[in-house]
Amino acid sequence: MSLLDRVRALLGDDAVEIAGGADAVPRVAPASPDAVALLLGTAREEGWRVRLEGAGTWLPADAPADLALTTRRLDRVPAVEPQDLSATAEAGIGCDLLRQQLADRGTWLALDPPGLAGRTLGSVVATATAGPLRHGFGAVRDHILGVTFVTGDGRLVQSGGRVVKNVAGYDLTKLEAGGFGAFGVIVLVHLRLRALPRADQTFVLAGTREDLTQVAEDVAAAGLQPAALELMSPALARRDGWALAVRLAGSAALVAAEEAGLRGASGGRFTALRAEEAHGFWMRAAESFATRPITFRTGGLPDSSDELLDLLQHQVGDEWVSASPGVGAIRWAGDTTVDRLRRLRRTLAGLEVPLTLERAPWPIRSAVGHFGAYREGVGPLVAGLRRTFDPGEAFVVAVEGSD
Amino acid sequence: MITPGLVEALTGIAGARHVRTAPAERLTYARDGLPTHRRVPAVVVLPGSRDELVAVVRLLAAHHVPFVPRGAGTGLSGGALADGAAVLLVLTRLNRILSLDPGNRVAVVEPGVVNVRLSAAAAAHGLHYAPDPSSQTACTIGGNVAENAGGPHCLKYGVTAQHVLALEVVLADGRIVELGSPGGEPWGPDVVGLFVGSEGNFGIATRIAVRLLPLPRAVRTLLAAFASLRAAGEAVSAVIASGIVPAALEMMDQSCIRAVEDSVYAAGYPRDAAAVLLVELDGHSDEAVAADTETVQELLSSHDAASIRVAADAGERERLWQGRKKAFGAMGRLSRDLVVQDAVVPRSALPDVLETIGRIAATYQVTVSNVFHAGDGNLHPNISFDARVPGLRTRVDAASTAIMEACVAVGGTITGEHGVGLDKLRYMPLIFDAESLAAMRAVRRVWDPEERVNPGKVVPVHACREWTGVRSVEWGVRSVASRDAPADSALRTPHSALDT
Ligand SMILES: Cc1cc2nc3c(=O)[nH]c(=O)nc-3n(C[C@H](O)[C@H](O)[C@@H](O)COP(=O)(O)OP(=O)(O)OC[C@H]3O[C@@H](n4cnc5c(N)ncnc54)[C@H](O)[C@@H]3O)c2cc1C
Ligand SMILES: Cc1cc2nc3c(=O)[nH]c(=O)nc-3n(C[C@H](O)[C@H](O)[C@H](O)COP(=O)(O)OP(=O)(O)OC[C@H]3O[C@@H](n4cnc5c(N)ncnc54)[C@H](O)[C@@H]3O)c2cc1C
């Protein structure tokens, strides 16, 4: 039996979305977690190599594989609980659709990942791509209460749960959040929500990077706790100079007090954006990352942020850069070479700073790897964890590079 | 095997004073904070430095001897107990704060640093270490990392996992691994997050880098009394759903209130209330905190609070908190023995679950007092008893199990902060199927192939499905739920209460 016949027999005709695209890789869309498990169990027996796709907007679908597994039919939202500020959603739901369903119930997932609005929830969790809101609300993992995932040999595993505090068993959820799909296909996600903020205001200040870095420090020193404090390159902010964007979100009283604090800390230099302007500003910045072929993230101690930006500018350019200096996180987008990326990663590693390649065409991804230049003893651990969750090496994921 | 030669070698590393072999000395370490489990370790070693600790671990690796790390021994799940085949490694002498960087708001500590000491050191710079377990005057940061400890203020600031940036760990085989990065960005997959909460099963944390937070400039604390547990529970849900995130939102029931008021920690709680809520709001701006406090007061009033008292000054606030933080101690006076339980339910389920717990107490004729992190839905139903009364232990056990089952039935979990240890092993199959338990065990074996660090904890090995080799035949014929099937049957995983 051919691969496609086998898949059709297992999952039904409608599970095969594309019998063979331009690169002749058939795309299969299982309709349930059990179907994902069945497919991967079979892949293990048959030795098929599988690449994972969400909505197909973030990573280029160019990894060499026997079949592509897309989560896009896993798009239900079984539970939204405004009283508990939690929700359960399948991994293939688009972030935009999820956001709408949550807002209808007065709730909010405080994540603003880079990329197109229709990205799947699963891809955001798997790549742990947080956006500017990481300043106020933390990393992707801080919003995930639990996940159900399917291993490379078709085992359905749950970790965590749907309550906001939970220490039962080892926290495998942490491995899935940011594992780039190397440790399993995420099929179901339990989310920690927030109430939709009553007030949500964005302020922007344009200037030189040096000047804005100082303002950002002043804002932090004043004890302000904005939802986002983001330093953006001119191209990304669509301004003539660099931009420092501050987002305040919460109760009306909180936002009013923070706004007064912001005015005090900056000498009243920020301009407030109207609600639609603010929405457009953040959305365009997020989408801009999807227009460049390569993105990576890096992060050090807050006081090294400026130095890291200098280093990026010097080694790979800084046309498309967004940084949360308060938490030391930086995202870069653009075009560059394997050699430059490797060199940059080595330089950063010398400063005890990691570089995570988020997105690149397969030739670059496979050469550089999402991760690399590990600290002492981590390589063997990662290898062991991969063997555990994907013993047949079914998943085509460039965890580490080829150098 | 632990031979006289091995003990001699241990003595050579740590010094005779710090290797305890006499029965009376070892008995001191036979329990942790939970009275129901008792194990006497074969040998107790208290290394005086990281290098001594690493040398000890390498020696034990060479002899394939199991060992158990122990901090202050305040754990409440029997996690820090070692039996006669194992060596207990007590880490309280590794108690240096290695660095404190106020500009970047990070500190690096040895595992034996007592929680409250770190916050005291940070206070000089206007900072604090946010996770504040009620045991913070005794428990260690290493123990906090291993248990992923919480505390009253974790409602707003998050539990230990959200504050650990990087770790140095010595593995069972003596290898050193550096997890994470100094700024907190994961280096590769998030192995720091994976390690936190692993209850000593993945290795010993020898250096811990944590995030510090600015001390809030404005704080308001209020105490609201309720005539029923249900009303108090509903008020909790209302506050959570309002979008205001209090720094802390704690509940105590009447039995707990009276225990506190009868003790030296009397805080002026109303003795006739069925329950009180202790609510704290904090932040950067006084006006914002004042406005949020007003909103919370209105919510509490509209949910039938009989009285609301706002702490007038720092002294009164201190006293209100003292009562809460010493509540376990006060309850200890109610009876000879106390089992501190720990479970979590969705917050909207609190009113029903509190009533169910009341019914369980009546059925098994045991005294249950509740003092807990209500804002997180993290219950601590505590059972007071006298283990000498024939048959009572059995009833306490049965009541504990019934409470766990009730919490799981509403979508909750069996532990929110105290860990599984030995005590909760039997409840793990209530929330995880055999495949998921096997996955955990397989992950443990990546870190510790011989399962030698803290053996027998966390994962009930007998309940695991096998995790090797090729898929069994049954999988090939397993039916697949179709898209048209009812959502719940499509989502439910075998034996799981989690996803429904
Ligand atoms: C700017 C741009 C525009 C594009 N526009 C189109 C277009 O219009 N139409 C089109 O067909 N293609 C488009 N592509 C190509 C598109 O990237 C590929 O079609 C697509 O299939 C890539 O998808 P992905 O699923 O890997 O990405 P994502 O869904 O974003 O996934 C990203 C990563 O997450 C992992 N992952 C995703 N879901 C899970 C999960 N549930 N569990 C574990 N891991 C998971 C994946 O393995 C991958 O590592 C575009 C590409 C770019 C750069
Ligand atoms: C009165 C009282 C109140 C409490 N209140 C709270 C509370 O509010 N919130 C809360 O979360 N807990 C609370 N606890 C429980 C307990 O204090 C915490 O679990 C604490 O984190 C344990 O720290 P410890 O130093 O005492 O660890 P121990 O009890 O000594 O050890 C606990 C576990 O950690 C492991 N371990 C210790 N050090 C290391 C290390 N360096 N590396 C790896 N593993 C290690 C041990 O093997 C063991 O499994 C309370 C306990 C008491 C007695």
Side-chain angles (χ1 to χ4, degrees):
Chain A
M1 238 196 298
S2 76
L3 183 150
L4 275 178
D5 291 340
R6 197 69 214 276
V7 171
R8 288 198 175 100
L10 276 175
L11 306 182
D13 281 343
D14 55 351
V16 178
E17 274 200 351
I18 298 180
D23 61 355
V25 176
R27 189 199 287 153
V28 180
S32 71
D34 280 336
V36 174
L38 196 52
L39 181 66
L40 287 171
T42 309
R44 161 76 161 142
E45 282 163 12
E46 301 288 333
W48 296 337
R49 307 258 293 149
V50 179
R51 85 176 171 226
L52 303 182
E53 294 178 11
T57 62
W58 185 237
L59 278 188
D62 51 4
D66 299 309
L67 71 89
L69 190 169
T70 171
T71 56
R72 68 187 88 188
R73 284 171 82 204
L74 301 174
D75 60 357
R76 283 156 289 204
V77 183
V80 179
E81 309 285 355
Q83 296 290 308
D84 294 317
L85 292 180
S86 67
T88 298
E90 289 187 331
I93 180 106
C95 286
D96 47 354
L97 291 177
L98 177 63
R99 192 167 305 279
Q100 193 51 54
Q101 293 200 36
L102 296 179
D104 289 346
R105 312 288 302 277
T107 60
W108 182 47
L109 177 62
L111 277 175
D112 54 353
L116 303 182
R119 275 188 79 175
T120 61
L121 175 65
S123 83
V124 173
V125 177
T127 57
T129 39
L133 287 173
R134 66 194 155 212
H135 177 93
F137 299 105
V140 170
R141 61 169 182 210
D142 299 336
H143 303 267
I144 312 298
L145 304 173
V147 295
T148 302
F149 60 94
V150 181
T151 63
D153 55 347
R155 298 167 194 261
L156 199 54
V157 175
Q158 331 137 25
S159 75
R162 63 184 174 93
V163 284
V164 295
K165 220 169 154 188
N166 193 348
V167 296
Y170 312 133
D171 195 356
L172 306 185
T173 305
K174 296 293 196 300
L175 196 58
E176 299 301 320
F180 285 85
F183 309 101
V185 187
I186 301 164
V187 289
L188 190 72
V189 186
H190 302 290
L191 296 161
R192 175 198 292 273
L193 305 178
R194 287 181 166 69
L196 261 182
R198 301 280 155 92
D200 189 343
Q201 278 270 14
T202 295
F203 302 84
V204 179
L205 175 63
T208 63
R209 208 186 92 200
E210 195 183 7
D211 175 32
L212 297 179
T213 301
Q214 185 56 51
V215 177
E217 273 171 31
D218 295 343
V219 169
L224 296 179
Q225 284 160 348
L229 174 68
E230 195 76 3
L231 182 64
M232 298 169 167
S233 64
L236 206 56
R238 305 189 187 208
R239 295 286 192 278
D240 292 334
W242 283 69
L244 184 64
V246 178
R247 184 167 174 188
L248 307 176
S251 67
L254 179 75
V255 170
E258 296 265 303
E259 185 184 347
L262 180 65
R263 226 179 297 123
S266 67
R269 293 164 63 202
F270 279 89
T271 309
L273 300 190
R274 281 179 291 112
E276 328 73 84
E277 281 176 336
H279 178 75
F281 176 84
W282 293 114
M283 203 181 73
R284 276 195 308 273
E287 288 186 347
S288 292
F289 281 106
T291 66
R292 319 308 304 159
I294 299 173
T295 57
F296 63 76
R297 62 173 179 260
T298 180
L301 289 166
D303 74 1
S304 67
S305 202
D306 205 37
E307 187 190 335
L308 293 181
L309 286 173
D310 281 343
L311 185 72
L312 296 188
Q313 181 196 24
H314 186 243
Q315 293 208 6
V316 287
D318 64 353
E319 200 187 344
W320 302 89
V321 176
S322 192
S324 303
V327 293
I330 299 176
R331 173 166 289 113
W332 180 97
D335 200 357
T336 187
T337 63
V338 167
D339 284 347
R340 278 170 189 269
L341 284 168
R342 284 180 173 157
R343 183 148 47 90
L344 179 62
R345 178 177 271 155
R346 275 197 304 273
T347 312
L348 288 170
L351 303 169
E352 295 197 299
V353 170
L355 182 155
T356 301
L357 184 64
E358 293 184 330
R359 183 162 157 277
W362 178 256
I364 293 185
R365 214 152 81 235
S366 56
V368 177
H370 293 295
F371 311 130
Y374 293 130
R375 297 174 86 192
E376 185 176 351
V378 173
L381 279 181
V382 176
L385 291 166
R386 285 193 78 183
R387 271 197 304 278
T388 299
F389 288 110
D390 185 18
E393 297 179 33
F395 296 132
V396 184
V397 181
V399 178
E400 288 127 19
S402 54
D403 60 334
Chain B
M1 233 188 46
I2 301 170
T3 59
L6 180 68
V7 173
E8 201 172 304
L10 288 168
T11 307
I13 296 169
R17 266 188 66 207
H18 303 295
V19 178
R20 313 270 163 87
T21 51
E25 291 176 320
R26 291 184 286 122
L27 265 178
T28 321
Y29 298 98
R31 291 183 210 276
D32 62 4
L34 186 74
T36 44
H37 295 267
R38 181 177 177 281
R39 301 213 168 157
V40 183
V43 183
V44 179
V45 182
L46 294 88
S49 68
R50 167 190 174 276
D51 291 350
E52 280 184 20
L53 171 63
V54 172
V56 167
V57 169
R58 288 184 177 159
L59 178 68
L60 297 175
H63 291 79
H64 304 283
V65 170
F67 59 92
V68 177
R70 181 174 172 114
T74 67
L76 289 170
S77 51
L81 306 193
D83 64 17
V87 173
L88 189 69
L89 300 181
V90 179
L91 306 171
T92 46
R93 293 177 68 215
L94 304 182
N95 59 3
R96 288 179 306 158
I97 296 175
L98 297 169
S99 68
L100 202 160
D101 173 352
N104 285 309
R105 296 175 182 164
V106 299
V108 181
V109 302
E110 291 188 326
V113 169
V114 170
N115 176 298
V116 81
R117 247 194 76 218
L118 177 56
S119 273
H125 307 279
L127 302 170
H128 73 303
Y129 177 61
D132 59 340
S134 303
S135 52
Q136 70 186 138
T137 51
C139 66
T140 65
I141 303 287
N144 295 167
V145 167
E147 300 288 7
N148 191 9
H153 289 82
C154 293
L155 174 59
K156 177 168 177 181
Y157 295 106
V159 294
T160 302
Q162 267 152 280
H163 301 271
V164 179
L165 304 169
L167 293 166
E168 180 195 78
V169 171
V170 56
L171 300 180
D173 62 8
R175 271 182 302 147
I176 307 279
V177 295
E178 296 276 354
L179 312 181
S181 72
E185 175 73 29
W187 201 317
D190 184 10
V191 280
V192 172
L194 185 59
F195 187 91
V196 175
S198 61
E199 302 194 31
N201 273 175
F202 292 176
I204 302 183
T206 48
R207 264 186 206 146
I208 302 160
V210 297
R211 197 191 301 286
L212 303 172
L213 294 180
L215 283 164
R217 297 185 191 178
V219 185
R220 293 271 198 295
T221 307
L222 36 101
L223 185 80
F226 291 84
S228 74
L229 281 171
R230 173 164 286 277
E234 285 168 355
V236 169
S237 264
V239 172
I240 294 302
S242 78
I244 292 175
V245 185
L249 176 47
E250 302 279 307
M251 195 193 294
M252 284 167 271
D253 71 1
Q254 189 169 61
S255 155
C256 173
I257 294 169
R258 292 190 175 168
V260 170
E261 289 305 305
D262 289 340
S263 76
V264 295
Y265 308 115
Y269 299 156
R271 299 179 61 95
D272 54 344
V276 292
L277 292 181
L278 185 59
V279 190
E280 187 155 284
L281 294 122
D282 72 9
H284 159 68
S285 129
D286 211 40
E287 300 91 74
V289 173
D292 282 354
T293 306
E294 215 166 283
T295 311
V296 168
Q297 270 177 285
E298 280 159 21
L299 279 169
L300 295 172
S301 298
S302 67
H303 282 82
D304 299 329
S307 68
I308 302 175
R309 176 174 137 203
V310 183
D313 52 34
E316 189 177 358
R317 191 165 72 231
E318 192 70 13
R319 217 153 56 91
L320 288 178
W321 271 114
Q322 167 102 324
R324 162 62 186 92
K325 292 220 168 176
K326 301 293 184 188
F328 291 149
M331 268 181 233
R333 298 171 65 255
L334 292 180
S335 62
R336 186 174 166 275
D337 299 290
L338 178 72
V339 171
V340 178
Q341 271 302 356
D342 175 35
V344 189
V345 297
R347 294 168 277 205
S348 59
L350 275 177
D352 285 348
V353 169
L354 287 169
E355 285 181 1
T356 305
I357 290 173
R359 279 197 298 276
I360 292 169
T363 305
Y364 293 96
Q365 297 170 350
V366 292
T367 308
V368 178
S369 326
N370 290 288
V371 44
F372 63 100
H373 313 303
D376 287 320
N378 187 181
L379 295 161
H380 291 318
N382 302 322
I383 309 181
S384 310
F385 68 107
D386 182 340
R388 293 168 304 187
V389 176
L392 191 49
R393 258 303 287 277
T394 319
R395 293 213 308 276
V396 168
D397 271 352
S400 289
T401 304
I403 290 172
M404 286 304 138
E405 285 169 349
C407 292
V408 171
V410 297
T413 190
I414 58 168
T415 170
E417 55 181 24
H418 296 167
V420 175
L422 285 173
D423 193 51
K424 296 251 159 100
L425 277 173
R426 61 198 150 139
Y427 304 133
M428 285 291 272
L430 289 179
I431 50 170
F432 292 114
D433 59 22
E435 198 85 90
S436 304
L437 291 171
M440 288 183 199
R441 184 176 186 207
V443 167
R444 189 255 172 87
R445 292 176 63 103
V446 170
W447 299 77
D448 174 16
E450 297 179 333
E451 300 181 75
R452 223 161 23 80
V453 210
N454 211 356
K457 313 283 168 70
V458 186
V459 179
V461 170
H462 65 275
C464 296
R465 186 191 284 252
E466 201 182 335
W467 190 279
T468 47
V470 197
R471 181 127 309 298
S472 59
V473 189
E474 70 182 288
W475 277 76
V477 295
R478 210 167 122 195
S479 73
V480 176
S482 85
R483 197 180 168 77
D484 304 324
D488 68 341
S489 75
L491 287 176
R492 192 179 295 126
T493 53
H495 324 296
S496 149
L498 270 182
D499 297 333
T500 52

